[in-house]
Amino acid sequence: MSRATELCEMLEACPPGRAGWRQFEDRCIDTLRYLFVPPLAEPKIQPRTYSGVDRRDAVFPNRNFDTTNNWSLLYKELDARLVLFEFKNYALEEIGKEEINQTRNYLTKTMGRLAIICCNRLPSRAAHVKRNTVFSEERKVILFTTTDHLKEMLLMKDRCDDPSDLVMDLVEYFYLQHE
Amino acid sequence: MSDIEIVRNKHVFLSYSSADSALAHRIAARIQAARLPIWLDEWELAAADPIAKRLDRGSTSSSVLLLLFSYAASLSLWVRRELAAGLRDDFRARAISPLLVRLDNSKIPEALMDLKYVDLHSDFDAGLAVLLQSIRDASAIDLGRLDPRMFELLIADLLRSEGYDIQRISRGQELGFDLVAMASPEKRSVLPERLLVECKHRRSERAGVAALHEVVASLARVAPQAACLLAVSGQLTSVARAYLSEQVRKFGVNLRVMEGAEVMQSLLQKPALVQRYFAAGEIE
């Protein structure tokens, strides 16, 4: 079995909600590492308390200063010197504006203006509206990457396409729909 | 160039119903004798068994999949429209080229009718020769090898073969498209009379959301009622597809995308074009 297929299966096997949050984070980090390191550098995994529960974020250094790949474009466009990935494995509740605000606050000047929330399902409409506000006010871009997106990127890598093309499409779609 | 070189990094998989096992082994033996790297695995497609996952043996990228089709296969769930559609998505995501091999005169389901098929029913040996050449063709096609200009010429030739007259648009003509295809009079009842065509080859410009946005904007500007074909050498992401569906829904643009997998299927129906663009003539 290829590594991509193996990771797809492991992502699918994560139970939603509290029971599977740790597993979901680990599998997402494994997947992101497989997809993007290199050209991104090894992530720093940072513990963080959210709503009284420990969660971890992965921060991938982006040192693509002089290249012409997607990460270099994102570095130039969004000062994405560090790319923040957060993980939300919800069962019943939805990702709402509170989570978007948390992410927004984490995107300090040194972090840059790009965060990617890896989630097992799409956030609420309120979250979508909130991220538009965040972009209008501070030019920070918060993307939502579902488990299906992660699986798609694994297959893209397997067929020798660049998985970060999907990230670029998410960015461009976000710009175009932004009101 | 030897056959083995032609099919480098590519595998040929064979899927069949157990009722067709003897014939499957006979076909596999002939394929092996032709020095094509067949992977024969005794399994049948099942509803809950994503075929591409079942095929996974390391990397399946660019593999060729032979689907033996017979009365026994026609009773399987995978030929049903919705499952066949799922399979096609799976093939596309993994860049797998399916070839249908017809073992008897069972009717090919509508959902699979656009696949290249080879008939072994009426004349086994003659059919097998065609099958071997089709496998070689499928293995030789590599749209990534073409430069953007050759890709545009290939799309023009494919459209010609379907009954269009082609006019290339020079850059000075501002339309924002590469070709105008006019259906020949006898084809106008089945084809759009006039088709604006834009070709995007990965080497010059990826068909991402921003590029699709430009095509939609050009179409809205120069010919909002016109039919448009966007031919891309690779595959759109699900995000790009979602963007395009939204544009079609919101603004009613008449835009169809032909992705690399579909270009490849069309090419398999036209061996002469495979020869012209991918030097298939060197195989022997």
Side-chain angles (χ1 to χ4, degrees):
Chain A
M1 186 186 288
S2 74
R3 179 69 175 144
T5 304
E6 187 187 5
L7 286 165
C8 279
E9 289 187 355
M10 289 197 293
L11 282 168
E12 281 168 7
C14 296
R18 282 175 181 260
W21 74 264
R22 183 63 188 245
Q23 192 182 342
F24 182 72
E25 284 183 358
D26 287 345
R27 295 296 83 82
C28 284
I29 291 168
D30 290 345
T31 299
L32 295 169
R33 201 182 254 134
Y34 174 74
L35 289 172
F36 300 134
V37 180
L40 298 180
E42 277 294 328
K44 310 275 183 278
I45 312 297
Q46 303 186 5
R48 197 174 154 207
T49 299
Y50 166 67
S51 302
V53 183
D54 282 336
R55 290 287 187 268
R56 292 172 305 158
D57 307 309
V59 178
F60 287 72
N62 178 13
R63 296 172 189 141
N64 292 272
F65 311 128
D66 297 323
T67 53
T68 54
N69 62 18
N70 289 330
W71 294 110
S72 174
L73 281 174
L74 292 170
Y75 173 80
K76 286 165 193 155
E77 197 168 288
L78 296 170
D79 307 315
R81 175 67 180 79
L82 299 167
V83 183
L84 168 67
F85 286 88
E86 293 189 307
F87 310 101
K88 310 283 185 202
N89 182 43
Y90 288 179
L92 299 173
E93 64 275 47
E94 285 187 308
I95 297 172
K97 56 185 181 181
E98 188 190 340
E99 285 87 343
I100 303 304
N101 259 332
Q102 292 242 351
T103 306
R104 161 199 216 155
N105 294 335
Y106 202 12
L107 286 177
T108 57
K109 196 168 173 60
T110 46
M111 286 287 295
R113 292 182 286 116
L114 175 63
I116 300 177
I117 296 178
C118 297
C119 40
N120 58 335
R121 56 201 179 97
L122 272 178
S124 66
R125 176 160 169 72
H128 282 85
V129 171
K130 187 66 190 174
R131 73 169 179 161
N132 277 354
T133 309
V134 169
F135 182 71
S136 297
E137 292 174 356
E138 299 179 65
R139 289 299 190 237
K140 292 174 179 173
V141 172
I142 300 171
L143 303 179
F144 303 131
T145 305
T146 62
T147 313
D148 282 344
H149 286 143
L150 291 173
K151 284 157 50 184
E152 183 179 347
M153 286 191 281
L154 286 166
L155 293 181
M156 288 169 77
K157 176 148 176 151
D158 218 22
R159 63 173 193 254
C160 301
D161 281 348
D162 182 351
S164 69
D165 285 347
L166 191 139
V167 175
M168 284 306 288
D169 277 350
L170 285 171
V171 172
E172 288 168 356
Y173 202 169
F174 172 70
Y175 288 156
L176 287 168
Q177 61 78 49
H178 175 257
E179 297 161 353
Chain B
M1 195 182 291
S2 76
D3 296 340
I4 294 299
E5 282 170 332
I6 282 290
V7 294
R8 62 190 178 277
N9 301 323
K10 301 195 179 191
H11 293 87
V12 182
F13 292 89
L14 197 150
S15 156
Y16 56 93
S17 296
S18 55
D20 302 319
S21 177
L23 203 46
H25 280 82
R26 195 173 152 208
I27 293 167
R30 295 284 289 273
I31 293 171
Q32 275 171 331
R35 297 170 62 222
L36 293 164
I38 183 84
W39 186 288
L40 180 68
D41 199 1
E42 293 199 15
W43 54 277
E44 292 179 65
L45 297 174
D49 183 16
I51 186 168
K53 193 183 284 185
R54 186 69 181 82
L55 286 179
D56 204 56
R57 297 282 186 279
S59 175
T60 54
S61 273
S62 311
S63 299
V64 179
L65 172 64
L66 306 182
L67 297 163
L68 299 199
F69 188 75
S70 63
Y71 175 72
S74 74
L75 301 177
S76 306
L77 288 173
W78 65 271
V79 301
R80 291 188 190 168
R81 178 185 286 275
E82 64 278 18
L83 293 172
L87 285 176
R88 302 292 288 275
D89 287 346
D90 218 354
F91 294 154
R92 188 179 56 192
R94 292 175 185 259
I96 290 169
S97 310
L99 281 173
L100 215 53
V101 183
R102 205 173 175 197
L103 301 182
D104 57 28
N105 60 359
S106 300
K107 190 170 181 283
I108 295 174
E110 202 177 319
L112 302 171
M113 275 173 82
D114 62 322
L115 292 183
K116 160 86 176 176
Y117 77 88
V118 177
D119 200 338
L120 298 190
H121 166 54
S122 40
D123 183 336
F124 185 83
D125 286 325
L128 204 70
V130 174
L131 177 62
L132 293 176
Q133 189 55 49
S134 298
I135 293 170
R136 290 181 178 118
D137 286 348
S139 302
I141 297 170
D142 180 359
L143 298 176
R145 261 174 53 196
L146 302 178
D147 63 27
R149 159 107 176 113
M150 288 298 282
F151 180 65
E152 190 180 310
L153 292 173
L154 169 67
I155 296 301
D157 276 341
L158 273 177
L159 290 169
R160 271 189 202 99
S161 70
E162 287 174 13
Y164 281 103
D165 293 323
I166 302 295
Q167 180 199 338
R168 294 194 73 235
I169 300 174
S170 65
R171 284 298 157 201
Q173 281 178 274
E174 62 72 37
L175 274 181
F177 293 88
D178 296 318
L179 310 167
V180 176
M182 301 294 295
S184 52
E186 65 274 17
K187 290 280 189 177
R188 283 182 189 165
S189 58
V190 288
L191 295 175
E193 187 175 332
R194 182 170 179 266
L195 197 57
L196 295 173
V197 183
E198 175 69 4
C199 303
K200 295 226 175 285
H201 191 280
R202 168 89 208 193
R203 277 200 217 167
S204 60
E205 186 183 15
R206 185 178 74 83
V209 168
L212 295 179
H213 179 70
E214 276 179 34
V215 174
V216 170
S218 292
L219 192 59
R221 193 180 65 247
V222 301
Q225 308 302 322
C228 177
L229 174 72
L230 174 64
V232 302
S233 63
Q235 294 185 35
L236 302 188
T237 66
S238 61
V239 181
R241 261 185 237 121
Y243 169 76
L244 212 50
S245 301
E246 186 186 74
Q247 298 302 299
V248 169
R249 200 175 55 246
K250 270 191 187 167
F251 306 111
V253 290
N254 186 357
L255 173 63
R256 188 171 88 75
V257 180
M258 189 182 202
E259 295 182 68
E262 192 182 339
V263 173
M264 177 140 178
Q265 275 301 320
S266 297
L267 272 171
L268 286 175
Q269 318 276 359
K270 279 113 189 166
L273 289 182
V274 178
Q275 284 225 334
R276 187 180 307 164
Y277 286 89
F278 300 98
E282 292 175 37
I283 290 172
E284 301 300 327

